[in-house]
Amino acid sequence: MPKPSRRRVLAAMAAALPAASLPVLSSQASAAPAAAAALPGGGDLGPNVLVFDPATPDIQGKLDEIFKRQESAQFGNGRYALLFKPGTYHGLNAQIGFYTAIAGLGLSPDDTTINGDVTVDAGWFNGNATQNFWRSAENLALRPVNGTNRWAVAQAAPFRRMHVKGGLNLAPDGYGWASGGYIADSRIDGTVSPYSQQQWYTRDSSVGGWNNAVWNMVFSGVEGAPAQSFPNPPYTTLDTTPVSREKPFLYLDGADYKVFLPEKRTNARGTTWGNGTPRGASLPLGQFYVAKPGIDAATLNAALPQGLNLLLTPGIYHVDRAIEVQRANTVVLGLGFATIVPDNGVTALKVADVDGVRLAGFLIDAGPVNSATLLEVGPEGSSDSHAANPTTVQDVFLRIGGAGPGKATTSMVINSNHTIVDHTWVWRADHGDGVGWETNRADYGVRVNGDDVLATGLFVEHFNKYDVEWRGERGRTVFFQNEKAYDAPDQAAVQNGNIKGYAAYKIADKVTTHEGWGLGSYCFYNVDPTIRQDHGFEAPNKPGVKFHDLLVVSLGGKGQYEHVINGIGAPTTGTSTVPSTVVSYP
């Protein structure tokens, strides 16, 4: 389905004034304790985590206040987590705006049932859902009022560990533009209806049916998924997911908060929770340093060597040095889209070449001074095997510009072998504040140097050069969504030697083994619509390098692709926004 400019430049949006009954988020909160002092584990979750139980008065009123504040606050400072204790809730409609996470506090989604809806729509943007970013729903059972729940989202809006006792509608009211999205470890008893959604990835779930496809619908390990049929209709279906380990989550064990760490699965299919207690381990909250906005990197780095994990409560954290994760099996878990901003060009977070680190549920927002990297998993030259206990990067989102000027040479670098990147959106902003070809310069989105790295749900967009550059061996990607940078001023700005345009997904010439399923790249060169892109994908011509179900699309004829991968695949033409596809490569 064609669409107009998916994210035209908007004026910066101010967050609504906070209601008197709710606290104001401040990035100038409590000062850090002295680095030499032993830091305590546990503690309260801060003012921007709202915890409800079935007896809480006026839950709907509180939900409405948060939504009013966050509905259009695309680049605001508000961050919220809405947590529901186990039990049954009646007659709620939780509308979810920007930087808002809603979750149940049971060990299973069915422990917390809402007889009502958890809704994302697009009234704030005239029925266009393509900017419904940075929000999430997790670990709840829903019984929708009219039988179908609406979840009309775009990137960075995970729907995890959910049980919908009915259908799920992924389009906004009126079936306007929509461009998401991601579902994992969820059960939808009824039919999922994407309608106008152009691309979607569903992993390790169960669905009662799937209604339609537009460009790029990918399934791995999904019971009830449609059969493989790309490109007509464009379903890419893998019976299982090669390796998966679900995101850590906060839950209540009696009156005590704990974090559950699901175990790794190979060749996974279906949910982790459908047959009783999920398999994994629990950590008490006392083993976490519960960070509040205003805490500095020195304090976080003092907590980690004490054996504490990190729980980042909702808010914005400025760091003047990298957060250094050196210990195996460390957990860094964000609530309510906690956001890390690196100051003075530092890297926001670095992970040593160790086993089993879990990074989940936070946003890294580039600062105005260029950072060489924003997130580094393993130092350069990492070589250890982590096959038995990989590091996972889940619902970790990186942004360059939009909320203000930001720059980063390479946003995410994966050096550690066997890392699993499970749902990320790495975005050089095309709208908002601090946006321009050089203003928010970011040459490379994701660079993978490690071997045996797996990406499930890889969203990377608008970088000045390569969006993804893969140098490690035996890499695999299940689902990739990309748009090339809108704002290239002319052909020369994107010329790559004798190649027109930098590929969205580039496999290094030395690589001998790589495989990908369900990958799409789109161009919308609205500054200079005459720009030509030789191909969306570039890979060495070797028997071990394989791709399945590739597509490129010119959005409204603003720029064109000559081929899909290397010199293979028909060119895009005209203004009809019809994909050019390649079913298999080589």
Side-chain angles (χ1 to χ4, degrees):
M1 177 178 291
K3 63 179 181 179
S5 169
R6 186 155 71 91
R7 299 185 191 115
R8 51 185 170 270
V9 176
L10 304 176
M13 297 181 183
L17 291 174
S21 60
L22 293 169
V24 179
L25 176 65
S26 172
S27 61
Q28 306 299 320
S30 57
L39 294 167
D44 72 89
L45 299 177
N48 288 75
V49 176
L50 282 70
V51 181
F52 305 105
D53 65 45
T56 301
D58 194 23
I59 297 174
Q60 187 65 56
K62 292 180 173 65
L63 296 175
D64 290 346
E65 285 185 56
I66 296 294
F67 179 65
K68 182 178 180 181
R69 192 176 309 175
Q70 298 302 114
E71 179 183 11
S72 60
Q74 183 171 176
F75 300 112
N77 292 330
R79 305 285 187 273
Y80 294 96
L82 311 175
L83 305 182
F84 286 75
K85 293 181 180 181
T88 301
Y89 300 78
H90 298 283
L92 297 181
N93 180 19
Q95 299 182 82
I96 306 301
F98 285 100
Y99 312 110
T100 305
I102 187 171
L105 287 170
L107 198 54
S108 164
D110 288 332
D111 294 339
T112 311
T113 297
I114 293 178
N115 291 319
D117 297 81
V118 171
T119 302
V120 177
D121 207 343
W124 75 277
F125 199 41
N126 300 314
N128 181 341
T130 61
Q131 293 183 23
N132 282 347
F133 315 135
W134 306 304
R135 63 199 76 199
S136 66
E138 184 173 1
N139 205 29
L140 292 165
L142 306 178
R143 186 172 281 107
V145 170
N146 70 355
T148 300
N149 189 76
R150 186 185 302 278
W151 185 255
V153 298
Q155 289 75 16
F159 196 80
R160 284 189 183 268
R161 205 178 166 73
M162 296 287 287
H163 183 187
V164 180
K165 299 178 179 182
L168 187 64
N169 180 349
L170 303 178
D173 186 28
Y175 307 102
W177 307 113
S179 184
Y182 175 91
I183 294 171
D185 200 24
S186 293
R187 176 178 170 182
I188 317 301
D189 293 344
T191 298
V192 180
S193 299
Y195 297 117
S196 54
Q197 282 285 355
Q198 290 146 340
Q199 65 276 322
W200 198 277
Y201 175 49
T202 307
R203 177 181 65 71
D204 297 358
S205 294
S206 173
V207 299
W210 194 274
N211 199 39
N212 71 288
V214 178
W215 290 340
N216 187 26
M217 300 283 154
V218 180
F219 308 84
S220 67
V222 178
E223 298 167 345
Q228 168 72 32
S229 58
F230 187 91
N232 188 25
Y235 294 132
T236 298
T237 303
L238 287 71
D239 285 342
T240 62
T241 303
V243 186
S244 59
R245 189 174 68 191
E246 298 304 329
K247 173 184 171 288
F249 62 92
L250 190 70
Y251 76 103
L252 276 172
D253 183 3
D256 299 324
Y257 285 107
K258 294 183 178 179
V259 173
F260 190 77
L261 307 178
E263 72 174 14
K264 186 187 78 168
R265 299 199 292 171
T266 56
N267 299 317
R269 183 173 173 84
T271 69
T272 63
W273 49 269
N275 296 314
T277 303
R279 298 173 64 89
S282 291
L283 295 177
L285 194 63
Q287 292 185 20
F288 285 79
Y289 179 70
V290 180
K292 308 294 198 311
I295 291 297
D296 61 12
T299 305
L300 299 174
N301 284 332
L304 290 165
Q306 289 181 207
L308 293 173
N309 303 287
L310 299 181
L311 185 71
L312 305 177
T313 64
I316 298 175
Y317 298 76
H318 283 265
V319 296
D320 60 358
R321 67 196 74 179
I323 302 167
E324 302 264 5
V325 177
Q326 301 284 344
R327 189 183 72 254
N329 301 311
T330 299
V331 179
V332 181
L333 176 61
L335 299 179
F337 293 84
T339 301
I340 304 169
V341 180
D343 293 331
N344 303 318
V346 303
T347 297
L349 195 152
K350 294 183 178 182
V351 179
D353 191 25
V354 295
D355 276 354
V357 172
R358 304 184 194 225
L359 309 178
F362 56 88
L363 171 66
I364 297 176
D365 210 352
V369 178
N370 185 73
S371 293
T373 60
L374 296 175
L375 172 63
E376 180 183 277
V377 179
E380 185 176 353
S382 294
S383 59
D384 289 351
S385 173
H386 305 291
N389 186 14
T391 285
T392 47
V393 181
Q394 298 177 284
D395 299 349
V396 173
F397 308 121
L398 280 64
R399 179 172 69 191
I400 302 92
K407 292 185 178 183
T409 302
T410 307
S411 295
M412 181 186 296
V413 179
I414 307 295
N415 291 317
S416 286
N417 298 330
H418 301 99
T419 299
I420 299 171
V421 179
D422 174 46
H423 189 229
T424 188
W425 185 38
V426 183
W427 184 57
R428 176 182 167 264
D430 60 276
H431 65 267
D433 188 22
V435 171
W437 184 249
E438 296 296 342
T439 305
N440 62 330
R441 181 87 193 188
D443 282 351
Y444 307 104
V446 175
R447 178 174 289 157
V448 179
N449 297 316
D451 293 336
D452 301 288
V453 172
L454 171 66
T456 51
L458 186 61
F459 299 73
V460 189
E461 297 189 296
H462 303 150
F463 286 84
N464 295 76
K465 293 185 179 179
Y466 293 124
D467 297 277
V468 172
E469 186 179 15
W470 209 295
R471 299 172 173 179
E473 286 288 354
R474 297 176 299 281
R476 292 176 290 184
T477 294
V478 183
F479 183 89
F480 170 68
Q481 185 266 323
N482 165 263
E483 285 184 338
K484 295 302 300 174
Y486 291 178
D487 56 345
D490 51 38
Q491 187 75 49
V494 296
Q495 193 70 15
N496 182 15
N498 61 354
I499 298 172
K500 289 179 283 187
Y502 286 81
Y505 192 104
K506 158 74 173 175
I507 305 299
D509 295 343
K510 68 179 182 63
V511 171
T512 61
T513 306
H514 188 93
E515 195 160 10
W517 296 262
L519 288 73
S521 177
Y522 327 135
C523 72
F524 185 78
Y525 288 117
N526 61 333
V527 174
D528 182 358
T530 69
I531 290 175
R532 310 291 294 190
Q533 180 91 19
D534 266 343
H535 41 243
F537 304 90
E538 183 179 342
N541 185 12
K542 298 176 182 177
V545 177
K546 302 175 183 179
F547 287 97
H548 315 273
D549 301 355
L550 301 173
L551 66 92
V552 295
V553 181
S554 168
L555 302 180
K558 304 293 187 181
Q560 301 287 350
Y561 293 91
E562 304 283 5
H563 302 284
V564 179
I565 180 168
N566 297 350
I568 300 170
T572 58
T573 59
T575 61
S576 58
T577 314
V578 174
S580 177
T581 62
V582 167
V583 174
S584 63
Y585 172 89

